[in-house]
Amino acid sequence: MPTLDEELFPSTPGKFKIDHRSYGINRQFYRFFASTSTMFLWALFLIALTVSYLSFQSFVDSSTRYLSASWGGLQWEKQVRTSAEIHRAGGMSVLVTGASGFVGTHVSLALKRRGDGVVGLDNFNNYYDPSLKKARKALVNRHGVFVVEGDINDARLLDKLLDIVAFTHVMHLAAQAGVRYAMENPNSYVHSNIAGLVTLLEACKSANPQPAIVWASSSSVYGLNEKVPFSELDRTDQPASLYAATKKAGEEITHTYNHIYGLSITGLRFFTVYGPWGRPDMAYFSFTRNILQGKPITVYRGKNKVDLARDFTYIDDIVKGCLGSLDTSGKSTGSGGRKKGPAAYRIFNLGNTSPVTVPALVRILEEHLKTKAKKNILDMPGNGDVPFTHANISSARVELGYKPTTDLRTGLKKFVRWYLSYYGYDAEQP
């Protein structure tokens, strides 16, 4: 016996004939209501199918995100907690952002060596060769530091880390570095140095307990200042580059969070940091590479053909200042985003106090590499660089016990030794 569907939708259209004489008005009503009911049932079926598909797709998307995420899960949380464990009396647990960067790697190792708990965070961007960052990560991993791969703008990740571990301190070193690159990709500086900083501060001000924060500003904030040596009391409202402007903005932003939320904050103005595991975009690094490869280097001069000079500061001296800042930072005073009392807000210069000209730097490298450089001497372009830097470190000496001990010749010798080893050169035959 045929079903209702078979009657209404025959399998052979055109062969089904209606005998109008055998049907009256009741049959017409029956067909109308039957057709309407069937359409309604089909509509319900399609709606249910759509809902099921969307639910399944949502499940697949969620599963894909979970499986592809670089953080999360019980094993991941265990690694974070283990890395954050403190192994000395009176020690601290520190979240180090930019932990696979130049300074971040050295600070993480120094903290771990003395028994502090350390968890790293880095996004491994490609501003310079990520393989160097991966090598640094492997280095700190061997010393028990777990580095989470993630972005400083990921609020969920930051909240998760601060929830898993009650960090006593945050060492914020993640940033988009480089003065000249800001002319090519300005948005990356706003994304990392401003938006990323705010995301971190938001997470820290809501944490309970609030961690104390030490972060990397820059000597670039002194901009067009001509008074030397540069003091923390000098004007910093004339930046010469977008990079400098974002670091200056960071100082104003951190002051606001200190004032409103009671976060203990220390800003460090680094002066031209160099040394092993350094950044390939820095002059001393690229000079070394080009000299060894027999390629010319470009040496810029300032106005009136005056040599450029920098307050080159060896990485170990910078690390001393970073650890001294963490040790003396004092506690944040807020809770749940509410300030309960005044907290420390400090800014320090970390430099060597002995500026050296760029031509003198090249001569030292030539001696260590036993190779003469091919030099192109050009006038400094208007790309945001400044003609000289010179740090006044009297405040850091008094409050942090900061005392740089490595001169440029000694520091470059250590860097060259590392460079030849890392890139596989024969020290006697570069």
Side-chain angles (χ1 to χ4, degrees):
M1 186 173 180
T3 66
L4 180 60
D5 283 348
E6 289 172 335
E7 287 184 0
L8 295 177
F9 305 101
S11 58
T12 54
K15 293 185 179 182
F16 184 70
K17 298 181 180 180
I18 299 176
D19 186 354
H20 294 285
R21 292 172 298 178
S22 63
Y23 290 90
I25 189 69
N26 290 335
R27 178 60 175 167
Q28 294 177 22
F29 275 112
Y30 171 76
R31 291 180 61 196
F32 171 78
F33 285 115
S35 175
T36 303
S37 299
T38 303
M39 292 177 64
F40 178 70
L41 289 173
W42 271 106
L44 285 177
F45 173 74
L46 290 172
I47 291 172
L49 188 63
T50 301
V51 170
S52 299
Y53 171 77
L54 292 175
S55 299
F56 176 74
Q57 188 64 40
S58 176
F59 170 77
V60 170
D61 291 343
S62 298
S63 299
T64 301
R65 284 195 299 270
Y66 177 79
L67 292 172
S68 63
S70 58
W71 60 272
L74 295 177
Q75 180 61 28
W76 179 84
E77 291 187 17
K78 181 180 178 181
Q79 289 177 294
V80 171
R81 290 193 179 94
T82 300
S83 189
E85 288 178 358
I86 301 170
H87 297 284
R88 70 179 179 98
M92 58 183 69
S93 56
V94 188
L95 173 63
V96 180
T97 72
S100 292
F102 175 29
V103 178
T105 294
H106 285 273
V107 169
S108 296
L109 289 172
L111 288 168
K112 200 68 178 180
R113 259 187 229 112
R114 72 179 196 177
D116 293 315
V118 184
V119 175
L121 174 64
D122 204 292
N123 69 354
F124 298 92
N125 67 28
N126 61 357
Y127 167 61
Y128 59 81
D129 185 5
S131 68
L132 179 57
K133 300 178 184 181
K134 295 291 186 180
R136 296 189 191 121
K137 177 184 178 181
L139 174 64
V140 298
N141 282 166
R142 291 196 295 272
H143 289 79
V145 177
F146 179 55
V147 180
V148 176
E149 185 164 353
D151 195 275
I152 195 66
N153 281 283
D154 189 342
R156 287 179 58 250
L157 172 56
L158 292 177
D159 289 342
K160 184 68 174 178
L161 289 169
L162 292 169
D163 181 59
I164 295 173
V165 177
F167 290 104
T168 59
H169 296 75
V170 171
M171 185 78 216
H172 179 46
L173 298 167
Q176 176 59 62
V179 170
R180 300 171 190 174
Y181 183 62
M183 298 181 70
E184 300 176 32
N185 189 4
N187 289 335
S188 66
Y189 290 79
V190 176
H191 176 79
S192 296
N193 302 357
I194 297 179
L197 175 61
V198 170
T199 303
L200 176 68
L201 292 171
E202 279 291 304
C204 290
K205 63 102 169 173
S206 300
N208 193 11
Q210 291 178 335
I213 300 170
V214 177
W215 74 288
S217 183
S218 170
S219 62
S220 294
V221 299
Y222 290 108
L224 302 178
N225 177 39
E226 295 183 352
K227 173 182 169 294
V228 291
F230 299 160
S231 165
E232 294 91 344
L233 300 177
D234 292 342
R235 290 178 58 180
T236 54
D237 58 354
Q238 294 179 302
S241 66
L242 179 62
Y243 168 71
T246 60
K247 287 298 187 179
K248 175 60 179 175
E251 292 186 354
E252 304 302 325
I253 291 168
T254 53
H255 184 275
T256 301
Y257 275 79
N258 165 264
H259 174 69
I260 297 176
Y261 301 110
L263 287 171
S264 169
I265 298 179
T266 303
L268 302 176
R269 294 173 178 171
F270 295 158
F271 281 72
T272 315
V273 190
Y274 73 99
W277 297 98
R279 281 177 22 217
D281 63 314
M282 297 293 285
Y284 73 94
F285 201 113
S286 62
F287 286 174
T288 300
R289 179 180 62 243
N290 285 9
I291 292 172
L292 288 171
Q293 294 177 358
K295 297 178 180 179
I297 63 174
T298 299
V299 178
Y300 291 116
R301 294 181 302 193
K303 292 180 180 179
N304 302 317
K305 304 190 184 307
V306 174
D307 292 331
L308 304 185
R310 293 287 182 270
D311 198 342
F312 296 101
T313 313
Y314 189 63
I315 182 60
D316 287 0
D317 291 327
I318 289 293
V319 170
K320 292 175 189 174
C322 290
L323 268 59
S325 298
L326 290 167
D327 291 338
T328 61
S329 60
K331 293 184 178 180
S332 293
T333 61
S335 177
R338 291 178 176 272
K339 180 179 179 180
K340 295 185 176 180
Y345 181 81
R346 311 177 300 172
I347 292 180
F348 297 111
N349 288 336
L350 294 185
N352 194 51
T353 74
S354 301
V356 176
T357 66
V358 174
L361 165 76
V362 173
R363 288 194 294 272
I364 296 172
L365 283 175
E366 289 175 329
E367 292 175 17
H368 290 321
L369 296 170
K370 302 180 177 61
T371 305
K372 199 72 174 174
K374 301 174 183 177
K375 297 184 283 289
N376 291 327
I377 311 298
L378 298 176
D379 291 334
M380 184 175 66
N383 57 14
D385 273 336
V386 294
F388 59 86
T389 60
H390 185 182
N392 177 333
I393 60 171
S394 56
S395 293
R397 285 186 189 276
V398 172
E399 296 195 41
L400 309 179
Y402 175 69
K403 184 180 180 181
T405 58
T406 307
D407 63 85
L408 185 60
R409 183 175 298 277
T410 302
L412 285 178
K413 182 177 182 180
K414 293 179 180 180
F415 165 74
V416 167
R417 187 186 305 134
W418 169 82
Y419 187 98
L420 296 176
S421 173
Y422 182 79
Y423 289 101
Y425 285 90
D426 184 332
E428 296 301 321
Q429 300 291 331

